[in-house]
Amino acid sequence: MEPYAPIEGAAPFAASMKLVTALVAGLQAPEAAGLTAYELEQFVDGRGREVLRQMVQDHLDLRAAREEQAARERCSPAVGADGIPRTRVETGHRRLLATLFGTVRVTRCAWRRPGAGNLYPADAALSLPAPRHSHTLARLAAVEAVRGSFETAHTAITSRCGPVIGKRQIEQAVVKAAADIAAFYAARIPVPCTAGTLLVISADAKGIVMRPGALRPATAKAAARQGRMRTRLAAGEKPNRKRMATLACVYDAEPAPRRPHDVIAPPGGRQGNRTLRPRPKARAKWLAGSVEHDPAEVIAAAFGQAETRDQQHRRTWVVLVDGAEHQLGLIRAEAARRGITIHILIDLIHVLEYIWKAAWSLHPAADPAAEDWVAVKALAILAGDSARAATDITAEADAAGLTASQRSGADACVRYLTSKHEYLRYDQALAAGWPIATGVIEGACRHLIGDRLDITGARWGLQGAEAILTLRAVISNGDFDEYWRFHLAREHQRLYPGTAQDQYTLGA
């Protein structure tokens, strides 16, 4: 590379060095000798930020001077992505750029032609964003916003960078930051697995409190209806403030055969030192969620992700669900559409909840005997005998002479075990080494939604909720840094098509 010709006049970084000199002089001054460690850090942080801002400014000014010099020597026209040659050059065009260190001024040359828009080659070389805020500032906004509220993100950024971005601009930056997540995962090549590795899919849903304009039509219609009481909800009425978000998870796991006693302790607890067989371990997890798209689209995306891992359908596909009929219907339909054989299991934890309901129908409150009763029924179900467990519960409820209200928990359990019988083949699942619980997706619901979108008093707009949910999924997958490089490359091509700046290669 040929060296740049020296720029005439003052040294390019003279202003920066002047600030550095002033900072050093301040630290050497007698007054600085009395500073506490806290005061010293505050002093250097405040003055140091201005030094860094000036360094960025001086560098941009140096590039502007070099560009003007090259433009004066250039004989050929500049041609943009539109193919139109521009022969006239005009210097001194400026725009502002908010950075981590403060706002700077970018000066560049405009190549012009009557009837055509201005062409700024320096913008493409710098890969400048369309809005005022830099990509680094947008990344910081996304990282801070997914941790807490937009208000706390604004406070954190202002404390670090000064008043460089507003709360509304943070929301806009977060929405923009999430724009390429679907494309990122569509382009990604998963790590190959052997045919014996399990392919596990799980899905769940959780409501998010939304602003009225962001509710689905049916929910908005229900919310608009006048309740029976003016000042509070009557029994059985719902506030109709939530929009359901659907989450899906795909992961790989090596089979880990187990026995029922490895999952549930026998009545009276485990005796001896028999080592428990470990459960299957999830790896290469892919989490995704959406409050904007319908559950069918999220489930289809999960199947699409799974199919990229097993295009020949040679692996064993296990689908873990909570038993919701609508969700089961969508899963079966998607599997049939793709011609995939799946093995559906209902999460054991949901089954245990129903067994405990039955236990409190047949035992006094806080009766220790209920725990052993639940263990007996759970072990029978894990052994593949859910029908016998349902028959025994019915017989015990009949023998106890319970009223309809007293036996409601037992009846609910029997109905659940009977209606979901085909999805309760835990004996086969344990022998084959399959997972039988939805801990991964349950944890995702808490992490992606409960810890952030379910903040007390928060009401979400659709775009903001969708962006936060999807970005948290990317971070949970451990892919944020790689995604951000992909996003910057896509953003560059949208703004400056045909240029080679920041080319991105997956896996590089």
Side-chain angles (χ1 to χ4, degrees), residues 319-340:
V319 181
L320 290 166
V321 294
D322 62 7
E325 283 298 330
H326 176 64
Q327 189 182 91
L328 282 169
L330 294 175
I331 289 170
R332 288 193 296 260
E334 189 62 30
R337 187 177 71 84
R338 295 173 183 261
I340 300 170

Side-chain angles (χ1 to χ4, degrees), residues 416-453:
Y416 191 82
L417 296 177
T418 303
S419 64
K420 309 298 184 187
H421 174 73
E422 63 178 306
Y423 307 122
L424 304 178
R425 301 303 300 173
Y426 297 121
D427 54 332
Q428 298 175 5
L430 291 175
W434 301 348
I436 60 173
T438 59
V440 174
I441 197 68
E442 294 287 341
C445 282
R446 291 191 298 272
H447 173 63
L448 268 64
I449 296 178
D451 293 347
R452 175 63 179 90
L453 294 166

Side-chain angles (χ1 to χ4, degrees), residues 371-384:
E371 189 170 22
D372 286 344
W373 185 91
V374 168
V376 170
K377 298 297 182 287
L379 288 170
I381 294 171
L382 286 171

Side-chain angles (χ1 to χ4, degrees), residues 42 45-46 49 100 152-164:
Q42 291 293 306
D45 179 54
R49 186 189 302 157
L100 292 179
T152 58
H154 180 252
T155 301
I157 294 172
T158 302
S159 176
R160 174 179 172 179
C161 307
V164 292

Side-chain angles (χ1 to χ4, degrees), residues 29-41:
E31 296 81 3
L35 296 176
T36 64
Y38 171 79
E39 292 169 337
L40 176 62
E41 286 183 85

Side-chain angles (χ1 to χ4, degrees), residues 57-196:
Q57 182 65 70
D58 287 347
H59 175 81
L60 292 172
D61 291 344
L62 176 61
R63 291 176 72 149
R66 287 170 174 168
E67 186 192 23
E68 290 181 18
Q69 186 180 57
R72 286 193 296 267
E73 299 169 356
R74 180 171 179 167
C75 300
S76 59
V79 181
D82 54 10
I84 300 174
R86 295 162 174 82
T87 57
R88 295 169 51 192
V89 63
E90 193 173 274
T91 62
H93 282 240
R94 296 180 176 86
R95 60 163 289 183
L96 297 178
L97 181 67
T99 73
L100 292 179
F101 317 114
T103 301
V104 294
R105 181 185 65 255
V106 183
T107 305
R108 66 266 202 257
C109 295
W111 291 82
R112 311 186 67 181
R113 174 175 177 161
N118 288 354
L119 177 64
Y120 299 100
D123 286 8
L126 286 164
S127 195
L128 293 180
R132 174 183 292 194
H133 309 99
S134 72
H135 291 306
T136 309
L137 197 57
R139 186 185 191 280
L140 179 61
V143 170
E144 291 292 344
V146 298
R147 291 176 179 167
S149 67
F150 289 121
E151 186 68 39
T152 58
H154 180 252
T155 301
I157 294 172
T158 302
S159 176
R160 174 179 172 179
C161 307
V164 292
I165 189 170
K167 179 182 172 183
R168 177 63 61 85
Q169 285 70 43
I170 289 176
E171 294 185 46
Q172 294 169 348
V174 169
V175 171
K176 195 175 186 65
D180 296 310
I181 291 175
F184 169 71
Y185 282 112
R188 204 174 191 201
I189 300 174
V191 177
C193 293
T194 64

Side-chain angles (χ1 to χ4, degrees), residues 144-374:
E144 291 292 344
V146 298
R147 291 176 179 167
S149 67
F150 289 121
E151 186 68 39
T152 58
H154 180 252
T155 301
I157 294 172
T158 302
S159 176
R160 174 179 172 179
C161 307
V164 292
I165 189 170
K167 179 182 172 183
R168 177 63 61 85
Q169 285 70 43
I170 289 176
E171 294 185 46
Q172 294 169 348
V174 169
V175 171
K176 195 175 186 65
D180 296 310
I181 291 175
F184 169 71
Y185 282 112
R188 204 174 191 201
I189 300 174
V191 177
C193 293
T194 64
T197 303
L198 301 173
L199 185 53
V200 186
I201 301 175
S202 190
D204 205 351
K206 187 175 178 63
I208 300 174
V209 179
M210 307 295 287
R211 296 170 186 160
L215 296 171
R216 287 193 168 91
T219 309
K221 183 177 179 181
R225 286 198 295 265
Q226 181 67 43
R228 293 193 293 272
M229 301 174 66
R230 288 186 303 103
T231 57
R232 63 172 296 162
L233 295 174
E237 288 185 332
K238 295 182 179 180
N240 295 303
R241 300 182 304 161
K242 291 187 175 182
R243 182 179 177 124
M244 295 303 292
T246 305
L247 282 81
C249 177
V250 178
Y251 61 88
D252 303 323
E254 296 301 324
R258 290 179 290 168
R259 303 153 297 190
H261 285 182
D262 293 319
V263 181
I264 298 292
R270 293 187 173 90
Q271 304 296 325
N273 298 318
R274 186 170 63 180
T275 303
L276 298 180
R277 296 179 182 179
R279 66 182 185 274
K281 302 294 185 183
R283 57 183 175 81
K285 289 186 292 184
W286 172 88
L287 284 170
S290 178
V291 66
E292 180 178 4
H293 300 292
D294 291 334
E297 297 178 73
V298 178
I299 289 173
F303 270 80
Q305 168 66 205
E307 206 162 19
T308 62
R309 304 182 182 206
D310 183 27
Q311 296 180 6
Q312 302 301 320
H313 304 167
R314 294 174 178 173
R315 296 167 60 183
T316 299
W317 292 45
V318 179
V319 181
L320 290 166
V321 294
D322 62 7
E325 283 298 330
H326 176 64
Q327 189 182 91
L328 282 169
L330 294 175
I331 289 170
R332 288 193 296 260
E334 189 62 30
R337 187 177 71 84
R338 295 173 183 261
I340 300 170
T341 299
I342 60 173
H343 305 275
I344 301 177
L345 284 174
I346 286 182
D347 170 37
L348 177 65
I349 305 302
H350 284 79
V351 177
L352 290 175
E353 290 177 358
Y354 277 93
I355 299 175
W356 273 105
K357 289 180 181 179
W360 297 130
S361 289
L362 298 167
H363 296 80
D367 183 359
E371 189 170 22
D372 286 344
W373 185 91
V374 168

